[in-house]
Coordinates of all heavy atoms in Angstrom, one line a residue:
M422 N 19.7 6.0 -9.1 CA 19.4 6.5 -7.8 C 19.0 5.4 -6.9 O 18.2 4.6 -7.3 CB 18.3 7.6 -7.9 CG 17.9 8.2 -6.6 SD 16.8 9.6 -6.9 CE 15.4 9.0 -6.1
I423 N 19.6 5.3 -5.7 CA 19.2 4.3 -4.8 C 18.3 4.9 -3.7 O 18.7 6.0 -3.1 CB 20.5 3.7 -4.1 CG1 21.4 3.1 -5.2 CG2 20.1 2.7 -3.1 CD1 20.8 1.9 -5.9
V424 N 17.2 4.2 -3.4 CA 16.4 4.7 -2.3 C 16.1 3.5 -1.4 O 16.3 2.4 -1.7 CB 15.0 5.2 -2.8 CG1 15.3 6.5 -3.7 CG2 14.2 4.2 -3.5
N425 N 15.6 3.8 -0.2 CA 15.2 2.7 0.8 C 13.8 2.5 0.7 O 12.9 3.4 0.7 CB 15.6 3.1 2.2 CG 17.1 3.1 2.4 OD1 17.8 4.0 1.9 ND2 17.6 2.1 3.1
C426 N 13.4 1.2 0.6 CA 12.0 0.8 0.6 C 11.3 1.3 1.9 O 11.8 1.1 3.0 CB 11.9 -0.7 0.5 SG 10.2 -1.3 0.8
P427 N 10.2 2.1 1.7 CA 9.6 2.7 2.9 C 9.1 1.6 3.9 O 8.9 1.9 5.1 CB 8.4 3.4 2.3 CG 8.8 3.7 0.9 CD 9.6 2.5 0.5
T428 N 8.8 0.4 3.4 CA 8.3 -0.6 4.3 C 9.4 -1.4 5.0 O 9.4 -1.6 6.2 CB 7.4 -1.6 3.4 OG1 6.4 -0.8 2.8 CG2 6.8 -2.7 4.3
C429 N 10.4 -2.0 4.2 CA 11.3 -2.9 4.9 C 12.7 -2.2 4.9 O 13.7 -2.8 5.4 CB 11.4 -4.2 4.1 SG 12.1 -4.1 2.5
K430 N 12.9 -1.0 4.4 CA 14.1 -0.2 4.4 C 15.3 -0.8 3.6 O 16.4 -0.4 3.6 CB 14.6 -0.1 5.9 CG 13.6 0.4 6.8 CD 12.9 1.7 6.4 CE 11.9 2.2 7.4 NZ 11.1 3.3 6.9
K431 N 14.9 -1.8 2.8 CA 16.0 -2.4 1.9 C 16.3 -1.4 0.8 O 15.4 -0.7 0.3 CB 15.4 -3.7 1.2 CG 16.5 -4.5 0.5 CD 15.9 -5.9 0.2 CE 15.1 -5.9 -1.1 NZ 14.7 -7.3 -1.4
E432 N 17.6 -1.3 0.4 CA 18.0 -0.4 -0.6 C 17.6 -1.0 -2.0 O 17.8 -2.2 -2.3 CB 19.5 -0.2 -0.6 CG 20.0 0.6 0.6 CD 21.4 0.9 0.5 OE1 22.2 0.4 -0.4 OE2 21.9 1.8 1.3
I433 N 17.0 -0.1 -2.8 CA 16.5 -0.5 -4.1 C 16.9 0.6 -5.1 O 17.1 1.7 -4.7 CB 15.0 -0.8 -4.2 CG1 14.2 0.5 -3.8 CG2 14.6 -1.9 -3.4 CD1 12.9 0.6 -4.6
E434 N 17.0 0.2 -6.4 CA 17.2 1.2 -7.4 C 15.9 1.8 -7.8 O 15.0 1.1 -8.2 CB 17.9 0.6 -8.6 CG 18.3 1.6 -9.6 CD 19.1 1.1 -10.8 OE1 19.5 -0.2 -10.8 OE2 19.5 1.8 -11.7
Y435 N 15.8 3.2 -7.7 CA 14.6 3.9 -8.1 C 14.7 4.1 -9.6 O 15.3 5.1 -10.1 CB 14.5 5.2 -7.4 CG 13.2 5.9 -7.5 CD1 12.3 5.8 -6.5 CD2 12.9 6.6 -8.7 CE1 11.1 6.5 -6.6 CE2 11.7 7.2 -8.8 CZ 10.8 7.2 -7.7 OH 9.5 7.8 -7.9
S436 N 14.1 3.2 -10.4 CA 14.1 3.3 -11.8 C 12.8 3.0 -12.4 O 11.9 2.4 -11.8 CB 15.2 2.3 -12.4 OG 14.6 1.0 -12.4
T437 N 12.6 3.5 -13.6 CA 11.3 3.2 -14.3 C 11.0 1.8 -14.5 O 9.9 1.4 -14.7 CB 11.2 4.0 -15.6 OG1 12.3 3.6 -16.4 CG2 11.2 5.5 -15.4
E438 N 12.1 1.0 -14.4 CA 11.9 -0.5 -14.6 C 11.4 -1.1 -13.3 O 10.9 -2.2 -13.4 CB 13.2 -1.1 -15.0 CG 13.6 -0.8 -16.4 CD 15.0 -1.3 -16.7 OE1 15.5 -2.2 -16.0 OE2 15.6 -0.9 -17.7
N439 N 11.5 -0.4 -12.2 CA 10.9 -1.0 -10.9 C 9.5 -0.4 -10.8 O 9.3 0.7 -10.4 CB 11.8 -0.5 -9.8 CG 11.2 -1.0 -8.4 OD1 10.2 -1.8 -8.4 ND2 11.8 -0.6 -7.4
V440 N 8.5 -1.3 -11.2 CA 7.1 -0.8 -11.2 C 6.6 -0.6 -9.8 O 5.6 0.0 -9.6 CB 6.2 -1.8 -11.9 CG1 6.6 -1.9 -13.4 CG2 6.3 -3.2 -11.3
F441 N 7.3 -1.1 -8.8 CA 6.9 -1.0 -7.4 C 7.5 0.1 -6.6 O 7.3 0.3 -5.5 CB 7.1 -2.3 -6.6 CG 6.5 -3.5 -7.3 CD1 7.3 -4.6 -7.7 CD2 5.1 -3.5 -7.5 CE1 6.7 -5.7 -8.4 CE2 4.5 -4.6 -8.2 CZ 5.3 -5.7 -8.6
R442 N 8.3 0.9 -7.3 CA 9.1 2.0 -6.7 C 8.1 2.9 -6.0 O 7.0 3.2 -6.5 CB 9.9 2.8 -7.7 CG 9.0 3.5 -8.8 CD 9.8 4.1 -9.9 NE 9.0 4.9 -10.8 CZ 8.3 4.4 -11.8 NH1 8.3 3.1 -12.0 NH2 7.6 5.2 -12.6
P443 N 8.4 3.5 -4.8 CA 9.7 3.4 -4.2 C 9.8 2.1 -3.3 O 10.7 2.1 -2.5 CB 9.8 4.7 -3.3 CG 8.3 4.8 -2.9 CD 7.5 4.4 -4.1
F444 N 9.0 1.2 -3.5 CA 9.0 -0.1 -2.7 C 9.9 -1.1 -3.5 O 10.1 -1.0 -4.7 CB 7.6 -0.6 -2.5 CG 6.7 0.4 -1.9 CD1 5.9 1.2 -2.6 CD2 6.7 0.5 -0.5 CE1 5.0 2.1 -2.1 CE2 5.8 1.5 0.1 CZ 5.0 2.3 -0.7
C445 N 10.4 -2.1 -2.7 CA 11.2 -3.1 -3.3 C 10.4 -4.2 -4.0 O 10.9 -4.8 -4.9 CB 12.1 -3.7 -2.2 SG 11.2 -4.7 -1.0
C446 N 9.2 -4.3 -3.6 CA 8.4 -5.4 -4.2 C 6.9 -5.1 -4.0 O 6.5 -4.2 -3.2 CB 8.7 -6.7 -3.6 SG 8.4 -6.7 -1.8
K447 N 6.1 -5.9 -4.6 CA 4.6 -5.7 -4.5 C 4.1 -5.9 -3.1 O 3.3 -5.2 -2.6 CB 3.9 -6.7 -5.4 CG 2.4 -6.5 -5.5 CD 1.7 -7.4 -6.5 CE 0.2 -7.1 -6.6 NZ -0.5 -7.9 -7.5
R448 N 4.7 -6.8 -2.4 CA 4.3 -7.1 -1.0 C 4.5 -5.8 -0.1 O 3.6 -5.4 0.6 CB 5.1 -8.2 -0.4 CG 4.7 -8.6 1.0 CD 5.4 -9.9 1.4 NE 5.2 -10.2 2.8 CZ 5.9 -9.7 3.8 NH1 6.9 -8.9 3.6 NH2 5.5 -10.0 5.0
C449 N 5.6 -5.2 -0.2 CA 5.9 -4.0 0.6 C 4.9 -2.9 0.1 O 4.4 -2.1 1.0 CB 7.3 -3.5 0.4 SG 8.5 -4.6 1.3
Q450 N 4.7 -2.8 -1.1 CA 3.7 -1.8 -1.6 C 2.3 -2.0 -1.0 O 1.7 -1.0 -0.6 CB 3.7 -1.9 -3.1 CG 2.8 -0.8 -3.8 CD 2.6 -1.0 -5.3 OE1 2.3 -2.1 -5.7 NE2 2.9 0.0 -6.1
L451 N 1.9 -3.2 -1.0 CA 0.6 -3.6 -0.5 C 0.5 -3.3 1.0 O -0.5 -2.9 1.6 CB 0.2 -5.0 -0.8 CG 0.0 -5.3 -2.3 CD1 -0.2 -6.8 -2.5 CD2 -1.2 -4.5 -2.8
I452 N 1.6 -3.7 1.7 CA 1.6 -3.4 3.2 C 1.5 -1.9 3.5 O 0.7 -1.5 4.3 CB 2.9 -4.0 3.8 CG1 2.9 -5.5 3.8 CG2 3.1 -3.5 5.2 CD1 4.2 -6.2 4.1
D453 N 2.2 -1.1 2.7 CA 2.1 0.3 2.9 C 0.7 0.8 2.6 O 0.2 1.6 3.4 CB 3.2 1.0 2.1 CG 3.2 2.5 2.4 OD1 3.9 2.8 3.4 OD2 2.7 3.3 1.7
L454 N 0.2 0.4 1.6 CA -1.2 0.8 1.2 C -2.2 0.3 2.2 O -3.2 1.0 2.6 CB -1.6 0.2 -0.2 CG -2.9 0.7 -0.7 CD1 -2.8 2.2 -1.0 CD2 -3.3 -0.1 -2.0
G455 N -1.9 -0.9 2.8 CA -2.8 -1.4 3.8 C -2.8 -0.6 5.1 O -3.9 -0.4 5.7
Q456 N -1.7 -0.1 5.4 CA -1.6 0.8 6.6 C -2.4 2.1 6.3 O -3.1 2.6 7.2 CB -0.1 1.1 6.9 CG 0.6 -0.1 7.5 CD 2.1 0.1 7.5 OE1 2.7 1.1 7.0 NE2 2.8 -0.8 8.2
W457 N -2.2 2.6 5.2 CA -3.0 3.8 4.8 C -4.5 3.5 4.8 O -5.3 4.3 5.3 CB -2.5 4.2 3.4 CG -3.4 5.3 2.7 CD1 -3.3 6.6 2.9 CD2 -4.4 5.0 1.8 NE1 -4.2 7.2 2.2 CE2 -5.0 6.3 1.5 CE3 -5.0 3.9 1.2 CZ2 -6.0 6.4 0.6 CZ3 -6.1 4.0 0.4 CH2 -6.6 5.3 0.0
A458 N -4.8 2.3 4.3 CA -6.3 2.0 4.3 C -6.8 1.8 5.7 O -8.0 2.2 5.9 CB -6.4 0.7 3.5
N459 N -6.0 1.3 6.6 CA -6.5 1.1 7.9 C -6.7 2.4 8.6 O -7.7 2.6 9.4 CB -5.4 0.3 8.8 CG -5.7 -1.2 8.7 OD1 -6.8 -1.6 8.4 ND2 -4.6 -1.9 9.0
E460 N -5.9 3.4 8.3 CA -6.1 4.8 8.8 C -7.5 5.3 8.3 O -8.2 6.0 9.0 CB -5.0 5.7 8.5 CG -3.7 5.4 9.3 CD -2.5 6.2 8.9 OE1 -2.8 7.3 8.3 OE2 -1.4 5.8 9.2
E461 N -7.7 5.1 7.0 CA -9.0 5.6 6.5 C -10.2 4.9 7.2 O -11.1 5.6 7.5 CB -9.0 5.2 5.0 CG -8.0 6.0 4.1 CD -8.5 7.5 3.9 OE1 -9.6 7.7 3.3 OE2 -7.8 8.4 4.3
H462 N -10.0 3.6 7.4 CA -11.1 2.9 8.0 C -11.3 3.2 9.5 O -12.3 2.9 10.1 CB -10.9 1.4 7.8 CG -11.1 0.9 6.4 ND1 -10.8 -0.4 6.0 CD2 -11.6 1.5 5.3 CE1 -11.0 -0.5 4.7 NE2 -11.5 0.7 4.3
A463 N -10.2 3.8 10.1 CA -10.3 4.1 11.5 C -11.2 5.2 11.8 O -11.6 5.4 13.0 CB -8.9 4.4 12.0
I464 N -11.6 6.0 10.8 CA -12.5 7.1 11.1 C -13.9 6.5 11.5 O -14.5 5.7 10.9 CB -12.7 7.9 9.8 CG1 -11.4 8.5 9.4 CG2 -13.8 9.0 10.0 CD1 -11.4 9.1 8.0
P465 N -14.4 6.9 12.7 CA -15.6 6.4 13.2 C -16.8 6.6 12.3 O -17.0 7.7 11.8 CB -15.8 7.2 14.5 CG -14.5 7.7 14.9 CD -13.8 7.9 13.6
S466 N -17.5 5.5 12.0 CA -18.6 5.6 11.1 C -20.0 5.3 11.8 O -21.0 5.4 11.2 CB -18.4 4.7 9.9 OG -18.5 3.3 10.4
G467 N -19.9 4.9 13.1 CA -21.1 4.5 13.8 C -21.4 3.1 13.7 O -22.2 2.6 14.4
A468 N -20.7 2.4 12.8 CA -20.9 0.9 12.7 C -19.8 0.2 13.4 O -18.8 -0.1 12.9 CB -20.9 0.5 11.2
N469 N -20.0 0.0 14.7 CA -18.9 -0.6 15.5 C -18.5 -2.0 15.1 O -17.4 -2.3 15.2 CB -19.3 -0.5 17.0 CG -19.4 0.9 17.6 OD1 -18.7 1.8 17.0 ND2 -20.1 1.1 18.6
K470 N -19.5 -2.8 14.7 CA -19.1 -4.2 14.4 C -18.2 -4.2 13.1 O -17.5 -5.1 13.0 CB -20.4 -5.0 14.2 CG -21.2 -4.6 13.0 CD -22.5 -5.5 12.9 CE -23.3 -5.1 11.7 NZ -24.5 -5.9 11.6
D471 N -18.3 -3.2 12.3 CA -17.5 -3.2 11.1 C -16.1 -2.7 11.4 O -15.1 -3.1 10.8 CB -18.0 -2.3 10.0 CG -19.3 -2.9 9.4 OD1 -19.4 -4.1 9.5 OD2 -20.1 -2.1 8.8
A472 N -16.0 -1.9 12.5 CA -14.7 -1.3 12.8 C -13.7 -2.4 13.2 O -12.5 -2.3 12.8 CB -14.9 -0.3 14.0
E473 N -14.2 -3.4 13.9 CA -13.2 -4.4 14.4 C -12.7 -5.2 13.2 O -11.5 -5.5 13.1 CB -13.9 -5.3 15.4 CG -13.0 -6.2 16.1 CD -13.7 -7.0 17.2 OE1 -14.8 -7.6 16.9 OE2 -13.2 -7.1 18.3
S474 N -13.6 -5.6 12.3 CA -13.1 -6.4 11.2 C -12.2 -5.6 10.3 O -11.3 -6.2 9.7 CB -14.3 -7.0 10.4 OG -15.1 -5.9 9.9
S475 N -12.4 -4.3 10.1 CA -11.5 -3.6 9.2 C -10.1 -3.4 9.8 O -9.2 -3.1 9.1 CB -12.1 -2.2 9.0 OG -12.1 -1.4 10.1
M476 N -9.9 -3.6 11.1 CA -8.6 -3.6 11.7 C -7.8 -4.8 11.2 O -6.6 -4.8 11.2 CB -8.7 -3.6 13.2 CG -9.3 -2.3 13.8 SD -8.4 -0.8 13.4 CE -7.0 -1.0 14.4
N477 N -8.4 -5.8 10.8 CA -7.8 -7.1 10.4 C -7.8 -7.2 8.9 O -8.0 -8.3 8.4 CB -8.4 -8.3 11.1 CG -8.3 -8.2 12.6 OD1 -7.3 -7.9 13.1 ND2 -9.4 -8.6 13.3
I478 N -7.4 -6.1 8.3 CA -7.4 -6.1 6.8 C -6.4 -7.1 6.3 O -5.3 -7.1 6.8 CB -7.2 -4.7 6.3 CG1 -7.4 -4.6 4.8 CG2 -5.8 -4.2 6.6 CD1 -7.5 -3.2 4.3
D479 N -6.8 -8.0 5.4 CA -5.9 -9.0 4.9 C -5.4 -8.7 3.5 O -5.8 -7.7 2.9 CB -6.4 -10.4 5.0 CG -7.6 -10.6 4.1 OD1 -7.7 -9.9 3.1 OD2 -8.4 -11.5 4.4
I480 N -4.5 -9.5 3.0 CA -3.8 -9.1 1.8 C -4.8 -9.1 0.6 O -4.6 -8.3 -0.3 CB -2.6 -10.1 1.5 CG1 -1.6 -9.5 0.7 CG2 -3.1 -11.4 1.0 CD1 -0.7 -8.5 1.4
E481 N -5.8 -9.9 0.6 CA -6.8 -9.9 -0.5 C -7.6 -8.6 -0.5 O -7.9 -8.0 -1.5 CB -7.7 -11.1 -0.4 CG -7.0 -12.4 -0.7 CD -7.9 -13.6 -0.6 OE1 -9.1 -13.4 -0.5 OE2 -7.4 -14.7 -0.7
D482 N -7.9 -8.1 0.7 CA -8.6 -6.8 0.8 C -7.7 -5.7 0.3 O -8.2 -4.8 -0.4 CB -8.9 -6.5 2.3 CG -10.0 -7.4 2.8 OD1 -10.8 -7.8 2.0 OD2 -10.0 -7.6 4.0
I483 N -6.4 -5.8 0.6 CA -5.5 -4.8 0.1 C -5.3 -4.8 -1.4 O -5.3 -3.8 -2.1 CB -4.1 -5.0 0.8 CG1 -4.3 -4.7 2.3 CG2 -3.1 -4.0 0.2 CD1 -3.0 -5.2 3.1
E484 N -5.3 -6.0 -1.9 CA -5.3 -6.2 -3.4 C -6.5 -5.5 -4.0 O -6.4 -4.8 -5.0 CB -5.2 -7.7 -3.7 CG -4.0 -8.4 -3.3 CD -3.0 -8.7 -4.4 OE1 -3.2 -8.0 -5.5 OE2 -2.1 -9.5 -4.3
A485 N -7.6 -5.7 -3.5 CA -8.8 -5.1 -4.0 C -8.8 -3.6 -3.9 O -9.1 -2.9 -4.9 CB -10.1 -5.7 -3.3
L486 N -8.3 -3.1 -2.8 CA -8.2 -1.7 -2.6 C -7.2 -1.1 -3.6 O -7.4 0.0 -4.2 CB -7.6 -1.5 -1.2 CG -8.5 -0.6 -0.3 CD1 -8.3 -0.8 1.1 CD2 -8.3 0.9 -0.7
L487 N -6.1 -1.8 -3.8 CA -5.1 -1.4 -4.7 C -5.7 -1.2 -6.1 O -5.4 -0.3 -6.8 CB -3.9 -2.3 -4.7 CG -2.7 -1.9 -5.7 CD1 -2.1 -0.6 -5.3 CD2 -1.7 -3.0 -5.7
A488 N -6.5 -2.2 -6.5 CA -7.1 -2.2 -7.8 C -8.0 -0.9 -8.0 O -8.0 -0.2 -9.0 CB -7.9 -3.4 -8.1
Q489 N -8.7 -0.6 -6.9 CA -9.5 0.6 -6.9 C -8.7 1.9 -7.0 O -9.1 2.8 -7.6 CB -10.4 0.6 -5.6 CG -11.5 -0.4 -5.6 CD -12.2 -0.5 -4.3 OE1 -12.0 0.4 -3.4 NE2 -13.0 -1.5 -4.1
Q490 N -7.6 1.9 -6.2 CA -6.9 3.1 -6.0 C -5.7 3.3 -7.0 O -5.0 4.3 -6.9 CB -6.3 3.2 -4.6 CG -7.4 3.1 -3.5 CD -8.2 4.3 -3.4 OE1 -7.8 5.4 -3.9 NE2 -9.4 4.2 -2.8
E491 N -5.5 2.3 -7.8 CA -4.3 2.3 -8.6 C -4.0 3.5 -9.4 O -2.9 4.1 -9.4 CB -4.4 1.1 -9.6 CG -3.0 0.5 -9.9 CD -3.1 -0.9 -10.5 OE1 -4.1 -1.2 -11.2 OE2 -2.2 -1.7 -10.2
K492 N -5.0 4.1 -10.0 CA -4.8 5.3 -10.9 C -4.3 6.5 -10.0 O -3.4 7.2 -10.4 CB -6.1 5.6 -11.6 CG -6.3 4.7 -12.8 CD -7.6 4.9 -13.5 CE -7.8 3.8 -14.5 NZ -9.2 3.8 -15.0
D493 N -5.0 6.7 -8.9 CA -4.5 7.7 -8.0 C -3.2 7.5 -7.4 O -2.3 8.4 -7.3 CB -5.5 7.9 -6.8 CG -6.8 8.5 -7.3 OD1 -6.8 9.2 -8.3 OD2 -7.8 8.4 -6.5
F494 N -2.9 6.2 -7.1 CA -1.7 5.9 -6.4 C -0.5 6.1 -7.3 O 0.6 6.5 -6.9 CB -1.7 4.4 -6.0 CG -0.8 4.0 -5.0 CD1 -0.8 4.5 -3.7 CD2 0.2 3.1 -5.3 CE1 0.1 4.1 -2.7 CE2 1.2 2.7 -4.3 CZ 1.0 3.2 -3.0
F495 N -0.7 6.0 -8.6 CA 0.5 6.0 -9.5 C 0.4 7.3 -10.4 O 1.1 7.4 -11.4 CB 0.5 4.8 -10.4 CG 0.9 3.6 -9.7 CD1 0.0 2.6 -9.5 CD2 2.1 3.4 -9.2 CE1 0.3 1.4 -8.9 CE2 2.5 2.3 -8.5 CZ 1.6 1.2 -8.4
K496 N -0.3 8.3 -10.0 CA -0.5 9.4 -10.9 C 0.6 10.5 -10.9 O 0.5 11.5 -11.6 CB -1.8 10.1 -10.7 CG -1.9 11.0 -9.5 CD -3.3 11.5 -9.3 CE -3.5 12.3 -8.0 NZ -4.9 12.6 -7.8
E497 N 1.7 10.2 -10.1 CA 2.8 11.2 -10.0 C 3.3 11.6 -11.3 O 3.5 10.8 -12.2 CB 3.9 10.6 -9.1 CG 4.5 9.4 -9.7 CD 5.6 8.8 -8.7 OE1 5.2 8.1 -7.8 OE2 6.8 9.1 -8.9
Ligands
ZN700 ZN1 10.5 -3.7 0.9

């Protein structure tokens, strides 16, 4: 089965051998998770100075988030 990567739209094979499915690669998976994380962080918490820095989430933050969320993310 061929699907399009949700991040870059590249066609990939959706197989159990592709650990990043439905993404083409780890980078696209992290980018998608980062967008999701930014939405979570966008909820006003009253700490305005933190809000600005959370908008600039970098790949290391996403990696840490992925480690935390990995079980939920892959529980399908
Ligand atoms: Zn991709």
Side-chain angles (χ1 to χ4, degrees):
M422 181 170 117
I423 300 296
V424 298
N425 289 75
C426 171
T428 303
C429 70
K430 312 303 181 192
K431 191 167 84 177
E432 289 188 348
I433 59 148
E434 186 174 357
Y435 191 103
S436 73
T437 54
E438 289 176 17
N439 178 5
V440 296
F441 305 119
R442 65 187 186 280
F444 303 94
C445 67
C446 61
K447 185 176 185 180
R448 184 172 174 274
C449 284
Q450 183 187 53
L451 290 175
I452 288 169
D453 188 77
L454 186 67
Q456 288 169 349
W457 168 84
N459 271 339
E460 287 177 19
E461 291 287 299
H462 288 172
I464 298 168
S466 65
N469 288 340
K470 64 179 180 181
D471 289 340
E473 191 173 48
S474 60
S475 68
M476 295 300 287
N477 297 319
I478 191 164
D479 66 24
I480 205 78
E481 288 178 12
D482 291 332
I483 296 169
E484 294 255 18
L486 237 159
L487 181 63
Q489 288 172 9
Q490 302 291 338
E491 207 161 35
K492 286 174 184 164
D493 287 340
F494 199 65
F495 290 111
K496 75 182 173 189
E497 62 182 83

